[in-house]
Amino acid sequence: MLVHGPADDHVAVVHMLRFSAVRPATGRSHAVLPWSGSGHPVTREETVSSLLLLERDFLKKSLGR
C-alpha cells in the first residue's frame, strides 16, 4: 500500500507514481492511497488511527485472511 500526501516534502508525487507503475511487474498487488492534507509523516492522531485501520485491512486482504 502506497500512501502519499500531496504536501509531502520528502517524496515527490512523480517518484511515488513511478514506483507504483513498476509494481505490476513484480506480480504483487498494491494500492495507491492519496492522503489529502498530509505531508511526511502523518501526524494527526485521528488521521493515524484511520490510516492504521486501512493498512490493517489491506494486509488482511493481501494475505488472504
Side-chain angles (χ1 to χ4, degrees):
M1 172 181 266
L2 302 173
V3 180
H4 195 274
D8 191 330
D9 58 351
H10 288 75
V11 178
V13 174
V14 68
H15 294 156
M16 184 276 302
L17 292 172
R18 283 182 190 158
F19 183 73
S20 176
V22 300
R23 294 295 297 160
T26 67
R28 297 185 183 121
S29 66
H30 80 290
V32 176
L33 178 62
W35 202 261
S36 65
S38 277
H40 190 110
V42 177
T43 55
R44 290 186 8 228
E45 187 173 330
E46 65 275 6
T47 303
V48 170
S49 296
S50 298
L51 185 55
L52 286 172
L53 292 173
L54 291 169
E55 290 172 345
R56 180 202 63 193
D57 294 343
F58 176 80
L59 287 170
K60 282 183 176 181
K61 181 181 173 188
S62 296
L63 296 172
R65 296 179 184 210

